[in-house]
PDB file of all heavy atoms in Angstrom:
ATOM      1  N   ALA O 122       3.525  -5.603  -4.644  1.00 93.00           N
ATOM      2  CA  ALA O 122       2.535  -6.012  -3.639  1.00 93.00           C
ATOM      3  C   ALA O 122       2.247  -7.507  -3.751  1.00 93.00           C
ATOM      4  O   ALA O 122       2.114  -8.197  -2.730  1.00 93.00           O
ATOM      5  CB  ALA O 122       1.249  -5.203  -3.818  1.00 93.00           C
ATOM      6  N   SER O 123       2.184  -8.021  -4.966  1.00 93.00           N
ATOM      7  CA  SER O 123       1.941  -9.456  -5.144  1.00 93.00           C
ATOM      8  C   SER O 123       3.099 -10.269  -4.584  1.00 93.00           C
ATOM      9  O   SER O 123       2.894 -11.284  -3.908  1.00 93.00           O
ATOM     10  CB  SER O 123       1.750  -9.775  -6.633  1.00 93.00           C
ATOM     11  OG  SER O 123       0.640  -9.080  -7.140  1.00 93.00           O
ATOM     12  N   VAL O 124       4.330  -9.820  -4.855  1.00 93.00           N
ATOM     13  CA  VAL O 124       5.502 -10.515  -4.320  1.00 93.00           C
ATOM     14  C   VAL O 124       5.499 -10.453  -2.799  1.00 93.00           C
ATOM     15  O   VAL O 124       5.737 -11.459  -2.108  1.00 93.00           O
ATOM     16  CB  VAL O 124       6.794  -9.889  -4.888  1.00 93.00           C
ATOM     17  CG1 VAL O 124       8.024 -10.428  -4.165  1.00 93.00           C
ATOM     18  CG2 VAL O 124       6.910 -10.167  -6.380  1.00 93.00           C
ATOM     19  N   ALA O 125       5.206  -9.282  -2.267  1.00 93.00           N
ATOM     20  CA  ALA O 125       5.244  -9.105  -0.813  1.00 93.00           C
ATOM     21  C   ALA O 125       4.174  -9.950  -0.123  1.00 93.00           C
ATOM     22  O   ALA O 125       4.435 -10.566   0.911  1.00 93.00           O
ATOM     23  CB  ALA O 125       5.058  -7.627  -0.472  1.00 93.00           C
ATOM     24  N   LEU O 126       2.978  -9.998  -0.699  1.00 93.00           N
ATOM     25  CA  LEU O 126       1.903 -10.771  -0.070  1.00 93.00           C
ATOM     26  C   LEU O 126       2.186 -12.268  -0.146  1.00 93.00           C
ATOM     27  O   LEU O 126       1.797 -13.025   0.742  1.00 93.00           O
ATOM     28  CB  LEU O 126       0.568 -10.463  -0.755  1.00 93.00           C
ATOM     29  CG  LEU O 126       0.002  -9.065  -0.476  1.00 93.00           C
ATOM     30  CD1 LEU O 126      -1.222  -8.796  -1.334  1.00 93.00           C
ATOM     31  CD2 LEU O 126      -0.355  -8.930   1.003  1.00 93.00           C
ATOM     32  N   ALA O 127       2.870 -12.694  -1.212  1.00 93.00           N
ATOM     33  CA  ALA O 127       3.144 -14.120  -1.369  1.00 93.00           C
ATOM     34  C   ALA O 127       4.310 -14.576  -0.503  1.00 93.00           C
ATOM     35  O   ALA O 127       4.287 -15.673   0.057  1.00 93.00           O
ATOM     36  CB  ALA O 127       3.416 -14.438  -2.837  1.00 93.00           C
ATOM     37  N   LEU O 128       5.346 -13.739  -0.388  1.00 93.00           N
ATOM     38  CA  LEU O 128       6.593 -14.197   0.234  1.00 93.00           C
ATOM     39  C   LEU O 128       6.989 -13.424   1.481  1.00 93.00           C
ATOM     40  O   LEU O 128       7.883 -13.860   2.203  1.00 93.00           O
ATOM     41  CB  LEU O 128       7.745 -14.111  -0.784  1.00 93.00           C
ATOM     42  CG  LEU O 128       7.595 -14.997  -2.026  1.00 93.00           C
ATOM     43  CD1 LEU O 128       8.731 -14.740  -2.995  1.00 93.00           C
ATOM     44  CD2 LEU O 128       7.583 -16.467  -1.628  1.00 93.00           C
ATOM     45  N   GLY O 129       6.402 -12.259   1.708  1.00 90.00           N
ATOM     46  CA  GLY O 129       6.827 -11.458   2.849  1.00 90.00           C
ATOM     47  C   GLY O 129       8.059 -10.633   2.529  1.00 90.00           C
ATOM     48  O   GLY O 129       8.440 -10.490   1.361  1.00 90.00           O
ATOM     49  N   GLY O 130       8.709 -10.106   3.570  1.00 90.00           N
ATOM     50  CA  GLY O 130       9.787  -9.141   3.382  1.00 90.00           C
ATOM     51  C   GLY O 130      11.078  -9.719   2.828  1.00 90.00           C
ATOM     52  O   GLY O 130      11.491  -9.407   1.720  1.00 90.00           O
ATOM     53  N   ARG O 131      11.742 -10.601   3.594  1.00 93.00           N
ATOM     54  CA  ARG O 131      13.089 -11.037   3.198  1.00 93.00           C
ATOM     55  C   ARG O 131      13.069 -11.899   1.934  1.00 93.00           C
ATOM     56  O   ARG O 131      13.845 -11.671   1.002  1.00 93.00           O
ATOM     57  CB  ARG O 131      13.737 -11.813   4.352  1.00 93.00           C
ATOM     58  CG  ARG O 131      14.077 -10.920   5.516  1.00 93.00           C
ATOM     59  CD  ARG O 131      14.779 -11.691   6.596  1.00 93.00           C
ATOM     60  NE  ARG O 131      15.071 -10.838   7.742  1.00 93.00           N
ATOM     61  CZ  ARG O 131      15.563 -11.264   8.877  1.00 93.00           C
ATOM     62  NH1 ARG O 131      15.822 -12.551   9.038  1.00 93.00           N
ATOM     63  NH2 ARG O 131      15.796 -10.431   9.863  1.00 93.00           N
ATOM     64  N   ALA O 132      12.192 -12.905   1.895  1.00 94.00           N
ATOM     65  CA  ALA O 132      12.140 -13.765   0.708  1.00 94.00           C
ATOM     66  C   ALA O 132      11.679 -12.959  -0.504  1.00 94.00           C
ATOM     67  O   ALA O 132      12.174 -13.140  -1.615  1.00 94.00           O
ATOM     68  CB  ALA O 132      11.206 -14.940   0.960  1.00 94.00           C
ATOM     69  N   GLY O 133      10.741 -12.039  -0.290  1.00 93.00           N
ATOM     70  CA  GLY O 133      10.271 -11.201  -1.394  1.00 93.00           C
ATOM     71  C   GLY O 133      11.371 -10.306  -1.930  1.00 93.00           C
ATOM     72  O   GLY O 133      11.482 -10.083  -3.136  1.00 93.00           O
ATOM     73  N   ALA O 134      12.211  -9.794  -1.034  1.00 94.00           N
ATOM     74  CA  ALA O 134      13.329  -8.942  -1.479  1.00 94.00           C
ATOM     75  C   ALA O 134      14.319  -9.739  -2.320  1.00 94.00           C
ATOM     76  O   ALA O 134      14.839  -9.245  -3.321  1.00 94.00           O
ATOM     77  CB  ALA O 134      14.020  -8.330  -0.267  1.00 94.00           C
ATOM     78  N   ARG O 135      14.568 -10.998  -1.915  1.00 94.00           N
ATOM     79  CA  ARG O 135      15.477 -11.836  -2.711  1.00 94.00           C
ATOM     80  C   ARG O 135      14.891 -12.084  -4.100  1.00 94.00           C
ATOM     81  O   ARG O 135      15.597 -11.986  -5.104  1.00 94.00           O
ATOM     82  CB  ARG O 135      15.734 -13.165  -1.988  1.00 94.00           C
ATOM     83  CG  ARG O 135      16.636 -13.034  -0.783  1.00 94.00           C
ATOM     84  CD  ARG O 135      17.161 -14.389  -0.344  1.00 94.00           C
ATOM     85  NE  ARG O 135      16.094 -15.261   0.157  1.00 94.00           N
ATOM     86  CZ  ARG O 135      15.687 -15.275   1.419  1.00 94.00           C
ATOM     87  NH1 ARG O 135      16.267 -14.499   2.306  1.00 94.00           N
ATOM     88  NH2 ARG O 135      14.730 -16.084   1.805  1.00 94.00           N
ATOM     89  N   LEU O 136      13.600 -12.387  -4.171  1.00 93.00           N
ATOM     90  CA  LEU O 136      12.990 -12.616  -5.489  1.00 93.00           C
ATOM     91  C   LEU O 136      12.972 -11.337  -6.313  1.00 93.00           C
ATOM     92  O   LEU O 136      13.193 -11.365  -7.529  1.00 93.00           O
ATOM     93  CB  LEU O 136      11.558 -13.146  -5.318  1.00 93.00           C
ATOM     94  CG  LEU O 136      10.801 -13.389  -6.618  1.00 93.00           C
ATOM     95  CD1 LEU O 136      11.505 -14.455  -7.456  1.00 93.00           C
ATOM     96  CD2 LEU O 136       9.359 -13.810  -6.357  1.00 93.00           C
TER      97      LEU O 136
END
Side-chain angles (χ1 to χ4, degrees):
S123 299
V124 170
L126 289 173
L128 297 175
R131 290 183 182 173
R135 287 196 294 272
L136 178 62

